[in-house]
């Protein structure tokens, strides 16, 4: 099992280990959304030659009797396509272009939902539709960080209902890979069924600041559009608009007291902090910061982070940025406790430091 009071902060870089090129990283999601909204159509009844045909057809079906609403959302899609490149993320774009009709936010979130659903469908956890909608070959993920994570999480834990105690996960990704993998890992380790494993994972302290496609469904709701199964079919039956409310922007998430409170509690009370594939962007660091809300947080025994793409010269600045998340009455003590693993991926970090992470 992991050390008590440990918090993991998971970013987009962690998703790259679920299948090469499947989940977008950095500006990847932004680029896919720009390409998807490259609609070269001027009228409702024209044939679409470029852009995401599923999104366009879904939009046309939804507003086939409301032409004015259709045109507003088409204009929002063009705005996203033409100006998104000037922003660090689609979330920042939506936050900037807050319109009265909420069309920009709706179209941005719809594009996110489609891209994440497709990535779930194409990743190494994608279920075999001929065998089961809620199971997959877990050995496919043997090289991902989820394998050592689940191994340490469950090691020396006899009762499956005690798995995850003292562990918090703040996942900035929209996908549900962590939950889906842990359900399968619990099923195999403890020989329990999907429903029991799902219930156990549901009680773990896993927070998605920006939301997800939705909670993983019970077996009896597997084909309910409002409860999308993992890796859903993104076809004509895919109801993207039912998933839009599940996707949150930075501003929306900050205003949600319960979620923000859980994040701050997980950051303030942890004694061990691990960043996996996290990008350390300004808006996300603001969500994690407890410097103002917790003047006397618990002392951090260590803070550990992957840093792919950051040079050795950037290590001191990143150490300072991480330690700056907390009020620091003892000078640079927490900065000295922060270890930055430059060039090391998520699986490599957990495998290299497993003795330090487990109890």
């Amino acid at each position: 099992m992991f050390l008590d009071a440990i918090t993991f902060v998971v970013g987009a870089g962690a998703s790259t280990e679920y299948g090469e090129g499947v989940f977008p990283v950095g500006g990847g999601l932004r680029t896919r959304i720009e390409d998807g909204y490259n609609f070269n159509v001027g009228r409702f009844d024209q044939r679409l030659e470029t852009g995401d045909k599923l999104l366009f057809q879904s939009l046309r079906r939804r507003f086939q009797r409301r032409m004015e609403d259709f045109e507003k959302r088409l204009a929002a899609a063009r705005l996203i396509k033409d100006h998104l490149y000037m922003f660090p993320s689609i979330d920042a774009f939506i936050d900037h272009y807050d319109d009265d009709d909420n069309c920009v936010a709706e179209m941005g979130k719809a594009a996110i939902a489609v891209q994440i659903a497709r990535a779930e469908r194409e990743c190494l956890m994608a279920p075999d539709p001929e065998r089961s909608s809620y199971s997959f070959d877990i050995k496919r993920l043997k090289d991902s960080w989820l394998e050592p994570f689940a191994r340490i999480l469950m090691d020396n834990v006899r009762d499956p209902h005690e798995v995850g105690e003292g562990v918090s996960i703040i996942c900035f990704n929209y996908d549900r890979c962590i939950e889906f993998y842990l359900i399968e890992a619990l099923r195999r380790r403890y020989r329990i069924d999907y429903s029991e494993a799902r219930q156990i994972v549901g009680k773990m302290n896993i927070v998605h600041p920006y939301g997800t496609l939705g909670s993983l469904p019970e077996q009896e709701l597997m084909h309910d559009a409002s409860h999308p199964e993992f890796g859903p079919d993104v076809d004509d039956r895919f109801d993207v608009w039912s998933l839009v409310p599940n996707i949150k922007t930075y501003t929306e998430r900050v205003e949600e007291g319960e979620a923000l409170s859980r994040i701050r509690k997980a950051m303030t009370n942890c004694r061990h902090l691990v960043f996996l594939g996290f990008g350390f962007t300004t808006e996300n660091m603001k969500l994690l910061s407890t410097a103002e809300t917790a003047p006397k947080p618990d002392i951090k025994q260590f803070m550990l982070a992957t840093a792919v793409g950051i040079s050795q010269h950037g290590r001191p600045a990143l150490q300072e940025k991480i330690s700056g998340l907390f009020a620091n009455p003892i000078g640079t003590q927490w900065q000295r406790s922060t270890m930055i693993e430059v060039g090391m991926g998520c699986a490599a970090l957990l495998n290299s430091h497993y003795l330090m992470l487990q109890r």
Side-chain angles (χ1 to χ4, degrees), residues 97-207:
Y97 284 99
D98 183 21
D99 58 323
D100 293 336
D101 294 328
N102 214 33
C103 292
V104 170
E106 185 179 36
M107 294 302 290
K109 293 176 182 182
I112 292 171
V114 166
Q115 292 300 331
I116 298 305
R118 284 177 176 150
E120 285 189 357
R121 187 72 177 175
E122 296 168 7
C123 78
L124 295 173
M125 274 173 266
D128 181 352
E130 295 183 359
R131 295 177 58 190
S132 172
S133 296
Y134 52 92
S135 184
F136 65 97
D137 182 0
I138 201 168
K139 292 181 181 179
R140 296 182 207 154
L141 277 294
K142 62 182 177 62
D143 295 323
S144 83
W145 70 273
L146 287 170
E147 193 278 332
F149 180 86
R151 174 165 37 85
I152 301 171
L153 184 73
M154 300 176 194
D155 190 34
N156 292 323
V157 182
R158 293 283 185 179
D159 184 350
H161 294 271
E162 295 178 358
V163 170
E165 291 183 358
V167 177
S168 296
I169 301 172
I170 304 171
C171 181
F172 282 85
N173 304 329
Y174 299 106
D175 64 77
R176 302 160 297 169
C177 291
I178 296 174
E179 291 88 339
F180 196 59
Y181 184 93
L182 290 179
I183 289 173
E184 185 66 17
L186 281 163
R187 291 179 63 201
R188 291 172 180 259
R189 175 76 177 244
Y190 297 101
R191 297 184 180 181
I192 57 179
D193 62 20
Y194 173 90
S195 294
E196 185 176 359
R198 177 186 175 276
Q199 182 183 35
I200 293 169
V201 173
K203 290 179 180 178
M204 292 182 187
N205 191 29
I206 304 175
V207 188

Side-chain angles (χ1 to χ4, degrees), residues 44-338:
F44 181 85
D45 57 350
Q46 281 185 317
R47 182 186 179 92
L48 186 71
E49 298 297 334
T50 63
D52 193 314
K53 294 182 180 180
L54 181 142
L55 270 171
F56 184 76
Q57 295 297 341
S58 178
L59 181 66
R60 187 154 61 179
R61 282 196 304 271
R62 189 183 187 210
F63 297 104
Q64 57 184 336
R65 300 182 184 278
R66 295 149 51 192
M67 186 57 60
E68 183 179 350
D69 290 334
F70 172 81
E71 293 293 345
K72 285 181 179 179
R73 282 155 182 82
L74 199 60
R78 287 171 175 152
L79 182 69
I80 292 171
K81 187 262 295 184
D82 290 336
H83 299 286
L84 178 57
Y85 76 99
M86 291 295 297
F87 292 81
S89 67
I90 181 62
D91 308 90
F93 181 91
I94 292 172
D95 188 49
H96 181 81
Y97 284 99
D98 183 21
D99 58 323
D100 293 336
D101 294 328
N102 214 33
C103 292
V104 170
E106 185 179 36
M107 294 302 290
K109 293 176 182 182
I112 292 171
V114 166
Q115 292 300 331
I116 298 305
R118 284 177 176 150
E120 285 189 357
R121 187 72 177 175
E122 296 168 7
C123 78
L124 295 173
M125 274 173 266
D128 181 352
E130 295 183 359
R131 295 177 58 190
S132 172
S133 296
Y134 52 92
S135 184
F136 65 97
D137 182 0
I138 201 168
K139 292 181 181 179
R140 296 182 207 154
L141 277 294
K142 62 182 177 62
D143 295 323
S144 83
W145 70 273
L146 287 170
E147 193 278 332
F149 180 86
R151 174 165 37 85
I152 301 171
L153 184 73
M154 300 176 194
D155 190 34
N156 292 323
V157 182
R158 293 283 185 179
D159 184 350
H161 294 271
E162 295 178 358
V163 170
E165 291 183 358
V167 177
S168 296
I169 301 172
I170 304 171
C171 181
F172 282 85
N173 304 329
Y174 299 106
D175 64 77
R176 302 160 297 169
C177 291
I178 296 174
E179 291 88 339
F180 196 59
Y181 184 93
L182 290 179
I183 289 173
E184 185 66 17
L186 281 163
R187 291 179 63 201
R188 291 172 180 259
R189 175 76 177 244
Y190 297 101
R191 297 184 180 181
I192 57 179
D193 62 20
Y194 173 90
S195 294
E196 185 176 359
R198 177 186 175 276
Q199 182 183 35
I200 293 169
V201 173
K203 290 179 180 178
M204 292 182 187
N205 191 29
I206 304 175
V207 188
H208 288 266
Y210 296 142
T212 67
L213 293 186
S215 300
L216 292 170
E218 287 282 11
Q219 288 174 302
E220 60 268 21
L221 294 173
M222 271 295 170
H223 301 291
D224 186 326
S226 62
H227 296 79
E229 61 196 64
F230 187 88
D233 286 318
V234 185
D235 53 20
D236 291 341
R237 298 166 295 175
F238 183 69
D239 183 12
V240 61
W241 308 107
S242 69
L243 305 182
V244 165
N246 299 333
I247 306 296
K248 306 296 181 183
T249 66
Y250 171 70
T251 302
E252 288 172 331
R253 211 46 170 169
V254 167
E255 292 173 352
E256 290 187 9
E258 181 184 356
L260 185 58
S261 176
R262 290 176 64 194
I263 292 170
R264 294 282 164 81
K265 185 176 179 180
M267 293 294 291
T268 301
N269 297 338
C270 73
R271 292 193 294 275
H272 318 91
L273 180 62
V274 182
F275 292 90
L276 298 172
F278 190 62
F280 304 100
T281 61
T282 300
E283 60 188 25
N284 290 343
M285 293 295 276
K286 285 180 181 178
L287 274 178
L288 296 175
S289 176
T290 66
E292 295 182 3
T293 58
K296 293 183 179 181
D298 290 345
I299 295 296
K300 308 304 178 213
Q301 294 182 12
F302 67 78
M303 294 185 279
L304 182 62
T306 58
V308 175
I310 296 177
S311 70
Q312 292 286 354
H313 298 291
R315 186 198 299 263
L318 185 53
Q319 285 178 319
E320 184 176 355
K321 194 170 187 178
I322 292 173
S323 62
L325 291 170
F326 310 95
N328 193 358
I330 318 177
T332 60
Q333 175 184 340
W334 289 357
Q335 187 172 341
R336 291 196 302 269
S337 72
T338 304

